[in-house]
């Protein structure tokens, strides 16, 4: 069997087209323009690229966008004061503080300071708590993107044995929670594995769907999966650079070997990655609708 390749690039394009239409309708019918602000502290090159992509995608879709580039030595007090100002700015529906923050800033305190109403990253405890009880306002972007990849590829999630490899607060735990819910696009039986799991292969071999979010290149090999498995590879691991100096990226799954056994699989790059920013845009539109009493 050679697997169907689940293209995050294509699915993200499809969702962005839907969002663009929805944003145009919101403006025309309700005079509502969703607004997103990105806040970057310091000059980490990867973070600059991510913030630039978020800004550009917002603008392409018709979302009002603001960007703050703050110096590396910004104090926690000044950052919290900016968040307070943005929490009270009616033009802004979503606030995204790019992580990681410099070491002298307490990341948790900063994320908790964002109003849950504007928490489009979905990392605030209020957002995560609501997700857990099945009444989400904002679902964290990467796990939400994973669920959309499964749904829009026609993968049957209900009743499936899902094995999640990784238990981080931004990927593993939320995706496990999302797929466990008594809801459409969920109702799975979920197992979560981590570095203390005694026999990882025992779990992955019986999975109908594997979500690999370990951050370890080729952690999932062909002998660890059953025929017909669906694999979502979240990992992004740099294993070298090309002669031209470009980064060589691979996922957590041995793609070439596993695709011969799987029924469907995401590539890296071009799988989960393009979905993350798209779901941020979806959350921003939702925030604007909630603020306007339209959701
Ligand atoms: P993380 O915070 O480092 O968490 C990794 C998790 O995987 C931990 O729970 C760890 O277990 C577990 N783990 C590591 N090695 C393992 C192994 N050999 N067997 C079983 N479990 C193992 O990482 P993260 O933030 O969740 O990200 C995971 C990967 O996804 C990274 O490669 C990251 O770059 C990528 N990512 C991609 C996107 C995207 O948009 N494409 C977004 C977010 C993350 P312990 O808890 O026991 O340490």
């Amino acid at each position: 069997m050679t697997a169907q390749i689940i293209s995050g690039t294509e699915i993200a394009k499809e969702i962005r087209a839907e969002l663009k239409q929805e944003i145009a309708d919101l403006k025309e019918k309700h005079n509502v323009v969703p607004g997103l602000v990105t806040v970057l502290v310091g000059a980490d090159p990867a973070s600059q690229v991510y913030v630039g992509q978020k800004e550009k995608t917002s603008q392409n879709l018709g979302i009002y966008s603001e960007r703050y580039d703050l110096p590396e030595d910004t104090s926690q007090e000044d950052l919290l004061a900016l968040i307070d100002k943005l929490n009270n700015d009616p033009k802004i529906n979503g606030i995204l503080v790019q992580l990681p923050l410099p070491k002298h800033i307490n990341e948790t305190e900063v994320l908790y300071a964002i109003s849950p109403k504007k928490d489009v990253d979905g990392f605030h405890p209020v957002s995560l708590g609501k997700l857990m009880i099945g009444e989400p306002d904002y679902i964290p972007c990467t796990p939400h993107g994973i669920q959309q990849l499964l749904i829009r590829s026609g993968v049957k999630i209900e009743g499936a044995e899902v094995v999640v490899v990784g238990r981080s607060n931004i990927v593993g735990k939320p995706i496990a929670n999302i797929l466990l819910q008594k809801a459409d696009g969920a109702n799975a039986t979920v197992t979560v594995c981590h570095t203390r799991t005694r026999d990882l292969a025992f779990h992955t071999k019986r999975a109908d769907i594997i979500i690999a979010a370990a951050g370890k290149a080729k952690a999932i090999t062909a002998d660890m999966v059953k025929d017909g498995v669906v694999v979502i590879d979240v990992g992004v691991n740099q294993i070298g650079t090309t002669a031209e100096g470009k980064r060589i990226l691979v996922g957590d799954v041995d793609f070439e070997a596993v695709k011969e056994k799987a029924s469907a699989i995401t590539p890296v790059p071009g799988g989960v990655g393009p979905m993350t920013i798209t779901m941020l845009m979806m959350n921003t539109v939702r925030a604007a609708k909630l603020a306007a009493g339209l959701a």
Side-chain angles (χ1 to χ4, degrees):
M1 179 184 290
T2 292
Q4 166 205 349
I5 305 298
I6 299 177
S7 168
T9 309
E10 288 307 313
I11 294 175
K13 212 184 274 174
E14 181 184 302
I15 298 175
R16 285 181 201 190
E18 292 166 12
L19 285 174
K20 196 167 185 170
Q21 185 59 53
E22 190 175 2
I23 290 163
D25 288 349
L26 276 175
K27 182 158 191 205
E28 196 184 305
K29 296 186 188 140
H30 303 284
N31 202 25
V32 167
V33 178
L36 175 68
V37 62
T38 49
V39 180
L40 174 64
V41 185
D44 174 59
S47 293
Q48 280 178 330
V49 171
Y50 295 142
V51 166
Q53 287 171 344
K54 287 165 189 172
E55 201 185 12
K56 196 168 145 215
T57 309
S58 308
Q59 288 163 354
N60 282 343
L61 295 184
I63 290 175
Y64 168 73
S65 117
E66 277 185 24
R67 170 172 173 170
Y68 287 82
D69 282 279
L70 306 179
E72 178 84 26
D73 62 356
T74 300
S75 70
Q76 172 143 337
E77 200 187 357
D78 285 351
L79 181 56
L80 290 175
L82 173 63
I83 291 173
D84 187 50
K85 183 181 93 127
L86 296 169
N87 278 341
N88 292 298
D89 182 341
K91 290 194 303 303
I92 299 300
N93 301 110
I95 301 172
L96 182 128
V97 176
Q98 185 65 42
L99 302 179
L101 288 166
K103 291 211 165 39
H104 66 279
I105 294 179
N106 182 328
E107 214 161 83
T108 308
E109 261 190 54
V110 170
L111 293 181
Y112 286 19
I114 295 171
S115 163
K117 292 190 170 133
K118 300 191 177 187
D119 177 39
V120 286
D121 242 346
F123 293 160
H124 194 285
V126 170
S127 303
L128 292 168
K130 288 183 118 177
L131 175 65
M132 181 139 182
I133 61 171
E135 293 176 12
D137 278 336
Y138 305 114
I139 303 177
C141 302
T142 299
H144 197 187
I146 295 168
Q147 185 191 32
Q148 284 296 313
L149 285 175
L150 291 169
I151 292 171
R152 289 176 184 247
S153 309
V155 174
K156 189 171 186 298
I157 305 173
E158 183 166 325
E161 292 285 341
V162 173
V163 171
V164 178
V165 185
R167 58 175 164 185
S168 73
N169 288 334
I170 63 167
V171 188
K173 282 183 202 159
I175 189 60
N177 242 293
I178 291 166
L179 299 181
L180 181 65
Q181 294 299 324
K182 195 166 186 170
D184 289 344
N187 278 317
T189 302
V190 183
T191 303
V192 183
C193 300
H194 44 79
T195 57
R196 310 295 165 91
T197 297
R198 272 206 302 271
D199 184 353
L200 179 61
F202 166 81
H203 297 284
T204 54
K205 265 184 202 161
R206 58 175 187 76
D208 302 313
I209 301 172
I210 295 173
I211 296 168
K216 293 276 176 304
K218 298 195 178 176
I220 309 294
T221 50
D223 58 329
M224 294 169 70
V225 308
K226 73 176 183 187
D227 284 330
V229 67
V230 173
V231 180
I232 304 291
D233 191 352
V234 190
V236 180
N237 308 292
Q238 182 174 354
I239 55 161
T241 43
T242 63
E244 300 79 42
K246 265 187 82 180
R247 298 186 309 152
I248 302 171
L249 300 176
V250 298
D252 289 350
V253 177
D254 183 354
F255 180 83
E256 288 306 325
V258 172
K259 85 174 180 353
E260 298 305 322
K261 285 179 92 175
S263 59
I265 188 167
T266 57
V268 176
V272 174
M275 296 298 287
T276 298
I277 292 183
T278 303
M279 303 323 284
L280 175 69
M281 301 301 135
M282 189 183 271
N283 277 348
T284 304
V285 173
R286 178 163 170 75
K289 284 163 66 180
L290 284 169
L294 298 168

